[in-house]
Amino acid sequence: MTSEVSEQIEQTAIREASPAASPSIWQELERWSGALADWQKLLIATAVRSGVIPDAIIEQAYRILLVEHALAPKPDIAFEIPSSMTGREKAGATRRRLHRIHTPIGVNRLPSTAELTFADGLTVIYGGNGVGKSGFARVLSNACFSRQRHPIYADVFDDAAPESSTALIDLVDEKGTISTVTVEVNSDHPELKRGFVVFDSAVAMRHLTDTGPFGFTPTGFDVFPEMARAYTALQAKLAADIQTKKRENALAKAFIGPETPASRAATALSQATDIDGLRTLAVFGADEQARIEQLQSQADQLRVLAPDATIKRLSDAKPQLVLLKQTLANARAALSEEKLETDTRLRQLLVAAASEFARAGAAQFQHDKIAGIGTPAWEHMIAGADELRPQQHEHYPAEGDVCLLCQQPLGEEARTLFGSYTAFSSGESKAALQAAERGVQDRRQQVEGISLTLTDEGSIAHNFLSETHPTILTAITDGAVAIRALQASVLAAFSGTGSVASVALADFSGALDGVIQTIEQDLLRLRQSDVPSAVAAIEKERVELRHREVLSQNLESAVSYVQDLQWIARAESKARPALNPRHLTEKQGELFSSVIAKNYREGLARECGALSCNVPVQLRTQGRQGQTLRSLSVADRSPEDILSEGEQRAVALADFLTEVGLNDDNVGIILDDPVTSLDHERKELIAKRLVAAAADRQVVVFTHDMVFFAKLADAADKAKAEITTHWMQRSGDNKPGQVSLNDGPTTTPQYRRTDFAEQTLAKAKAASGSAREAFVRQGASQLRRTVEEVIPQYLLKEVVRRWTDRVMVTALKKINWDNALADETIEIFEACSAIMEGHSHTEAGTEAPPTPDKLAELIARTKEVIRLAKVARA
């Protein structure tokens, strides 16, 4: 098996380390949130987008909670709830990739001209400490999805630096269309957050410490502990409001005297109190005040045994009130909606009968020399002739009779016409018209007969009600005005001079029945011989009225107290149970089982294997309120007791890559110095893993580690993958942010080909004189390094690797040793050494001056050595 085939198999295995995704956590959260209340949706949306739910959002969620449970009125402006809770409901919905980040304003000390571009696969940004990498990395960290936000400040050395920080990010879609978004660098961007995930040192610690001993929360599942925290805050708010509304009943000691319905209701106020019934008991106005005065007068009269005048007044008023009740009821019945509808039909019938009568006359007697046939004047003439006919003789008109009008003899034709007139006047159309007229006349007389004199000022009923029930009298007076207005409009409609007014007539029967019953009660008291009992009964009613007065004066306070009790009851029975976080724990466990558990275990094992995390990392689940259900442990011990810092970093990165593999929406990953505290061997494994990941998504790496940079280039070379590198340095005036695009330090993998020497050969051929000689010597130096790199890499099959003291003994079986190839390699090396600068040789020994042709020959020989050296032993 050749080394190239072996490398391809290894890269395929690494790529397959990412587990196949189960249903996305975002899809499951979106589905679950559909059945939740709006306040819960707001919390989920905020937790997903920001990681932390601010106090202002918790307060808004509390307002929504109160409204949903009828504990607060609906606002004039509806609460704004995101249509998508997560913004990630469609797997793979985000397909735009990073293209460029540029124009940073107020981002550390980065100049506004600084920019980075991103390849579709692997992009590596190399630079030492303090050159500005963190500025770009933090913009991406805050705009994309990251477990840890990093504050970004403007240039602290520049007093004129802008207060706000922004940057522009260009995104490119699958069609190559580029669009630009402005990023507020201290807030995330919805699309970037959905598609790009960040890993750095702070994120690594969050992976290791979020949920206790060596535990953390998978992406998406951190919604649950944050929601549980918000639930606790909401519970505290609800408890505080409940406590505020708890107080003693201020009316419990407000009533003097024996118990009455009003005092009993007021002192027994509870959440079950009927507020409408309470308002009925609290009715107290002019009528009730007048009643108290009447009762006082009656009691005084009974005490002096002189009630006769009151008895007479009550006796006179009662029949008048009974009559008034019947009069108003009759008037209301006569002007009811049914009657008014009948009136409409009567008017329509009259118009139709008159039209038919006129039509019949006009059709039968039409004559081209007589105008006005069928008109009322013509009808009157016919009617007059018909009335005069019987005065002539019984059989008028007979032969020999003359016309009543012109006194000329009537021929047979004229007598027949006169007979037709008589038949017309007494026919069906005439009868129908007369019947309609009688109906209208009868109804008119009925309406005209409505009399409301009993409501007039000066009547017995009016005077009595004025003294005893002024409120009822006012209502009856207003009602009489409405009746008279409706009466007038009905009569006007029958006369054809108006339309019927739309008036709703009040029914006073119940109110007058109450007044009549009170009269009967008073007469019974005043007429009985047991004066003390009568006075006691009067006093009881007076106390009831006084208690109603007290309740009326304190009604709003009583209603408020009852409403607060009802509020507390609803809060305790509805809102408080809704804040029980148990359903969070249950859903968290359910989603963990359906979305994470199996794939997470398998994926984490594969990732740990790919990164050589040879520690017994165990995945465990738990179900505690507000706690993450997933955690890692090492032999049931804390990581500080078991793992080194490097091992912890490797496990955190393995977990990060596992999460990325479970997220179908992920378009790219951004890593800021991911190999801190790691040895050379694990750096090499991580480099291979990231190159493999770049085959499926964008991978952006910021690093100051030259060894890691070289290993990334080496891994890309072996995988035949494209790699884009940028080099960040300080400028000539020692300011950070100078970016050299598509550039980077020279690395070992680049010297495993003859590219550098060939490029220098081209320059030598184009130059002349000493410049040509310098280029040839430079090319020889580059070619000698290529020979040095070929020996351990290809000829000796990496038995001994750079940057590590490990000896790959098993690689010995791949060595295909050839003495002739070794001799050729040595000859090329010595020839290059003889030409390059740095060694002093005689002109004859160096074949001075060195020529481009000699360099070209050595390059060709070196290519052949590389080709032969790559061949492994069969």
Side-chain angles (χ1 to χ4, degrees), residues 587-641:
K587 178 53 68 173
Q588 194 176 19
E590 176 189 329
L591 292 185
F592 191 91
S593 297
S594 64
V595 177
I596 297 298
K598 182 176 182 293
N599 282 344
Y600 219 110
R601 287 187 175 91
E602 295 174 354
L604 183 60
R606 284 191 294 265
E607 293 291 357
C608 285
L611 301 185
S612 189
C613 301
N614 298 318
V615 292
V617 179
Q618 299 173 336
L619 179 65
R620 295 185 173 182
T621 61
Q622 55 186 349
R624 293 181 296 172
Q625 175 182 336
Q627 298 294 318
T628 299
L629 290 175
R630 174 204 178 283
S631 65
L632 299 180
S633 64
V634 180
D636 296 324
R637 301 292 296 275
S638 65
E640 293 81 4
D641 295 335

Side-chain angles (χ1 to χ4, degrees), residues 77 309 825:
I77 301 176
T825 301

